[in-house]
Structures are given as C-alpha cells and as structure tokens.
Amino acid sequence: MLRNSPLRFVFPIGLYIAFCLDGSVSQIFSKQLFGSQSFVPCITLMWLVFGLLFENEINLHIGLWAALIGFIMDMFYFGTLGVYLFILPLTVYVCRFLYRYLSATFISGFLMYFIGLTISMSFSFLANRFVDLANITATNFLVSVLGPTLALNLVLFIITYYPVSLLFNRYREKS
Amino acid sequence: MHKFFSNRKLVIVMVCVVISIGLMTFSVAVRNRKATPPLIQQFGNDVAGFTNTIVSTPVNLISNGFGSLGSLLNTYQQNQILSKRVSQITSTQVRDEALQRENAKLKSQLKLNDTLTSYKAINAAVITRTPSSWQNQIIINRGENAGVKKNMPVLVDTGLAGRVSEVNKTNSKVELITNNNAATNRFAVQVNATNGKVINGIISGYNKTTGLVEMGNITAKAKIKVGQKAYTSGLGGITPKGLYIGKVAKVSTDDYGLSYKIYISPAADLNDIEAVTVASRAQ
C-alpha cells in the first residue's frame, strides 16, 4: 500500500519545481537579493528537508534524489561539477542523523534546516574557494553571505511549513 | 593503518572527496581550455534549460506584470523628461546617419570590409540566474545553434553586461562584469583623457558595496575627468570596439600608489536584466 503512495511522484516533481524556483527567484528579485549582502535562495534544500520531515514510513529515497538534483544544479546553474552532487546528499545524511535524536516537531525541523543550510553553504563556499570561483574571505562569507542567507531561508521555511505539511499529508492519505 | 581502511564510512568519504575534487578540477580545466563543455553535459543543460522554461516563463510573466504596473505610475514624469530630449535625439540621429554613410563610403574606398567596431547582434532572453553569491551568472536562451560562441561580449540596451562563459546547443551561461573571481575573462577598456589621449586598461574587479567597476593595468598617466565615458577597446580578439560600459566615477591610485585605478559606474543595471544582445564580431 505504501509502495504506491502518490507521494513518490509528488516529491520528485516538487523537487524539480523547487530547483527551477531557485533560479527564477534569484533572477526576479536579483535587485533585492544580491546587493552588498547576498540572500541566496535554497528552496531545493528546503524541499529535501521537508521530504525528510514528512516522509514518515514511506521511503522516498531522498538521498538519491538529492544526489541527482545536485548533479543537475552543478551542471545547469554553476558549470562546476562535483560540488552540490556531494553536498546535498551529505546535508540530507546529517539531517536524517539529527532527526533520529529529535522529536518530530516544527522546532526540530527548523533546527534541522538551520544546520543543513549552514553545512551546505559552508561546504559550497569551501569548494568554490578551492577552485578560486569565490573571491571573498571567510569572515566576509559569514557576515555578508551566510547570515543573510540563513535569515531569508528560515523565514521562507516558517512561511511554507504549514502549507507543505498539508500537501504531504493529503497525498499520503490517498494511498 | 589497518583500522583506518576497515572503516567503511571513512573509505566512502575519502572516495567521495577524491571524486568531487577530480570533477571540480575537470570542469575548471574544460572551462579554461575548451570552447564547449562535453557533449553529455551540453545535452543535460539543454534538457534542463528547456524544462526550466516551463516553470520560469509563468513566473517571469507574473513579475513582468507587476513591473509594468510599477512603471505605469512613473510614466507621466518620464514622459515630460523624455519629450524634451526627443528633439535633440532626432538631430543626433540625422547626423549619425550621415556619418555612417560617409564612413561606409570611405571604407569602401579603402577596401576595408570589417573593422574593429562592426558586429552582428544576436538577441536573447534571460531564462534564469545562478542562485549563488559569488557567481553572478545568468542563463540565456540562445546557444550554439543561434551562433553564440564562448567569450562573446553580452550587452543590455544601456551598455556592456558580461561575457559568454559556457555554450550549449540551445542555451548559454553569461558571466556578468560584476563577477569577481579569478576565472573571469577581463575586458580591454578605453577612456578618453583630457588632452586628447586615449587611456587603455583592463577591467580588473568589482566593488560590491560601492557598485563600481575597477579598471586597472593602466598604461599611461594622463588627467581623466570624472564623467568621461568608458568603452571597450576592441583589442585582444573577440570583443568589438566601442561597446559602452559606463562613466568614470572616481580616479585614484592603487594600493601601492604606483599606478592609476579608474572606477567606472556601469551603465547597465546588472541586477535587473531581462533581455540581452550577444555581440558577435564579424570574422
């Protein structure tokens, strides 16, 4: 019964839409988002974390999807392969590890996303620093990239938490 | 040592790190040396670009609707200012046409076909933008099929915006001049000095807080007025001459006080690009 849950199709479609929204939001709000401080939207990662929070007993293979969407992101958005291909599954792994020790509440989801964001942003900074694509110092990164990004994405998380939980519940019940 | 290798997780981590670094080095090498990425990557990008438009087109339409509503409110003021300038523009246009005709005649007399200034325009729309803080990169909906090649300069209606950094069949990536990384190809730039001399230099960076483009590697010392126009010099290959970049905002010396540094405020609004023109130099 659970194997035929429509969530198995809804989750990847939502993941791809989230991936597209990442770019579109950056494009449309580029004036507001990329000034002297950078608010980088991480909607794809948010969708993955939502998947972890709401999958319950259905196995959605989130790690595999994370690797796949990470690869597409590397290819299409950044042009540098091998960055998000590993960062997204790593983040999913760490979040799942944390989730085992936390109760399934909004606050623990919030905390998971906070930690996941910090990991993914820091590792992508390190990787880009390594190939010399990022030309900012670590202090600068913390203050003008990581801080604003966390603020933006956590607000987005709070806003979308309830609607997304309804969406997941609805498609789970249909099974 | 034995324990180190028996730990399965550690081995997985090491393998992942090695593959990751390998892939990164590979893509940087391809970016530096090859005109196009490998065929599989191109194919993936084309598919991703196509499917991305399904989401990005309605989103862009909605935002354009809001944008035009906003601009409707400014229309009256704008109309008043612009109507004053129309009469000036007509006279300039007439003169421009006459000069162009004269130029064509002189060129044909000298048997000059294409000079540094001539280029063919390829128009493209922006599909999406890289969600990244350090890679100011947009993705446009024209690629190899439309004649776009790597390193071609990209313009918006008001001035130079950036350079094509990766070409696929149906879409390509454009690095904006606000990009600060070492891999960015720099533009050769000219500014007119006061005594009739021309100062050559190269765009060397971008200051995020002031929003000014830095022009370094300046060869000569001459007085430059603030407000002078900076444009591409056409030296060094693929960029045509005379693409407008912006006006000089500040002139100062570099960190060691040895050479000049000119700060240009870019004419193009680089955080609000909807459509671009790729300038393909006639060859």
Side-chain angles (χ1 to χ4, degrees):
Chain A
M1 188 181 77
L2 291 175
R3 205 169 284 165
N4 296 326
S5 166
L7 217 52
R8 296 175 79 97
F9 305 104
V10 171
F11 178 74
I13 294 169
L15 186 64
Y16 196 76
I17 292 174
F19 160 77
C20 295
L21 277 180
D22 258 349
S24 290
V25 166
S26 321
Q27 161 63 14
I28 290 164
F29 298 103
S30 49
K31 209 164 203 168
Q32 290 82 15
L33 296 179
F34 300 107
S36 57
Q37 297 201 319
S38 309
F39 301 84
V40 184
C42 301
I43 302 166
T44 316
L45 183 66
M46 187 157 81
W47 186 259
L48 290 170
V49 171
F50 278 138
L52 278 178
L53 287 175
F54 303 130
E55 73 174 337
N56 294 357
E57 64 278 4
I58 307 163
N59 186 9
L60 289 175
H61 303 290
I62 293 174
L64 282 179
W65 284 116
L68 185 72
I69 206 75
F71 182 66
I72 299 174
M73 264 177 123
D74 280 342
M75 213 164 62
F76 185 63
Y77 283 142
F78 302 99
T80 323
L81 299 177
V83 181
Y84 277 92
L85 170 64
F86 294 104
I87 287 175
L88 286 184
L90 173 79
T91 316
V92 166
Y93 179 79
V94 172
C95 285
R96 181 169 275 160
F97 181 79
L98 282 175
Y99 200 45
R100 236 179 269 156
Y101 297 95
L102 294 169
S103 54
T105 56
F106 169 71
I107 296 295
S108 64
F110 187 80
L111 185 73
M112 250 168 66
Y113 187 46
F114 182 92
I115 293 169
L117 264 177
T118 315
I119 292 172
S120 96
M121 286 304 288
S122 312
F123 273 96
S124 78
F125 168 69
L126 280 179
N128 281 290
R129 198 67 241 247
F130 176 70
V131 291
D132 228 349
L133 280 176
N135 205 6
I136 53 172
T137 57
T139 342
N140 229 327
F141 164 73
L142 287 178
V143 175
S144 62
V145 182
L146 185 62
T149 301
L150 279 174
L152 171 77
N153 287 293
L154 290 174
V155 168
L156 280 180
F157 183 85
I158 294 167
I159 294 169
T160 49
Y161 182 87
Y162 186 61
V164 174
S165 75
L166 285 185
L167 182 94
F168 271 79
N169 282 332
R170 191 173 153 218
Y171 282 104
R172 193 183 301 116
E173 276 162 16
K174 268 191 182 169
S175 57
Chain B
M1 205 62 197
H2 177 72
K3 206 182 171 196
F4 176 84
F5 281 110
S6 63
N7 196 337
R8 200 167 140 252
K9 265 182 196 162
L10 204 60
V11 173
I12 291 174
V13 167
M14 292 305 283
V15 169
C16 282
V17 166
V18 168
I19 295 174
S20 166
I21 290 175
L23 276 173
M24 268 153 63
T25 325
F26 170 73
S27 37
V28 168
V30 165
R31 183 200 192 88
N32 289 346
R33 299 206 186 112
K34 293 248 172 84
T36 50
L39 212 62
I40 300 168
Q41 200 179 336
Q42 265 188 53
F43 177 73
N45 280 341
D46 288 332
V47 173
F50 176 72
T51 43
N52 208 308
T53 46
I54 297 168
V55 175
S56 67
T57 313
V59 175
N60 285 344
L61 270 179
I62 293 166
S63 96
N64 285 350
F66 278 111
S68 39
L69 203 70
S71 56
L72 202 65
L73 299 173
N74 296 328
T75 313
Y76 178 67
Q77 273 185 323
Q78 237 175 19
N79 188 21
Q80 278 189 324
I81 300 166
L82 290 177
S83 57
K84 276 180 202 159
R85 294 193 58 183
V86 166
S87 52
Q88 288 175 14
I89 286 172
T90 342
S91 63
T92 328
Q93 246 172 9
V94 170
R95 197 177 142 71
D96 197 53
E97 261 175 49
L99 285 174
Q100 243 172 28
R101 219 172 295 139
E102 192 191 49
N103 195 342
K105 253 185 212 165
L106 291 173
K107 268 186 186 171
S108 71
Q109 274 182 2
L110 283 170
K111 296 198 175 70
L112 268 174
N113 290 326
D114 294 312
T115 49
L116 288 176
T117 46
S118 44
Y119 66 84
K120 205 182 90 204
I122 303 165
N123 292 318
V126 178
I127 303 175
T128 183
R129 184 189 166 111
T130 301
S132 165
S133 160
W134 35 80
Q135 257 179 305
N136 293 316
Q137 196 169 257
I138 54 175
I139 295 152
I140 59 172
N141 67 351
R142 288 281 181 278
E144 212 179 312
N145 292 347
V148 177
K149 286 200 185 98
K150 197 178 170 178
N151 287 337
M152 278 180 178
V154 174
L155 315 165
V156 291
D157 47 1
T158 41
L160 186 74
R163 199 193 280 277
V164 175
S165 66
E166 187 190 303
V167 186
N168 304 304
K169 291 273 182 270
T170 57
N171 57 42
S172 33
K173 294 190 179 72
V174 176
E175 264 183 345
L176 303 180
I177 46 173
T178 51
N179 239 7
N180 236 343
N181 61 54
T184 314
N185 281 311
R186 304 306 190 189
F187 282 99
V189 188
Q190 278 182 344
V191 180
N192 290 336
T194 39
N195 54 358
K197 272 187 184 169
V198 176
I199 302 289
N200 276 297
I202 291 172
I203 290 183
S204 60
Y206 174 74
N207 192 328
K208 240 183 176 183
T209 39
T210 55
L212 298 177
V213 173
E214 288 168 16
M215 171 181 164
N217 297 54
I218 292 162
T219 47
K221 282 201 172 176
K223 279 239 159 122
I224 297 155
K225 266 194 203 155
V226 170
Q228 282 282 5
K229 292 186 177 79
Y231 47 89
T232 57
S233 65
L235 299 175
I238 203 158
T239 312
K241 187 178 175 162
L243 304 179
Y244 180 45
I245 295 167
K247 283 180 180 166
V248 173
K250 201 171 82 183
V251 181
S252 69
T253 52
D254 73 348
D255 300 342
Y256 306 103
L258 291 173
S259 62
Y260 275 121
K261 215 167 206 186
I262 299 174
Y263 293 88
I264 303 164
S265 90
D269 187 353
L270 294 162
N271 271 336
D272 190 14
I273 304 173
E274 280 168 18
V276 293
T277 305
V278 182
S280 146
R281 187 153 136 188
Q283 279 171 343

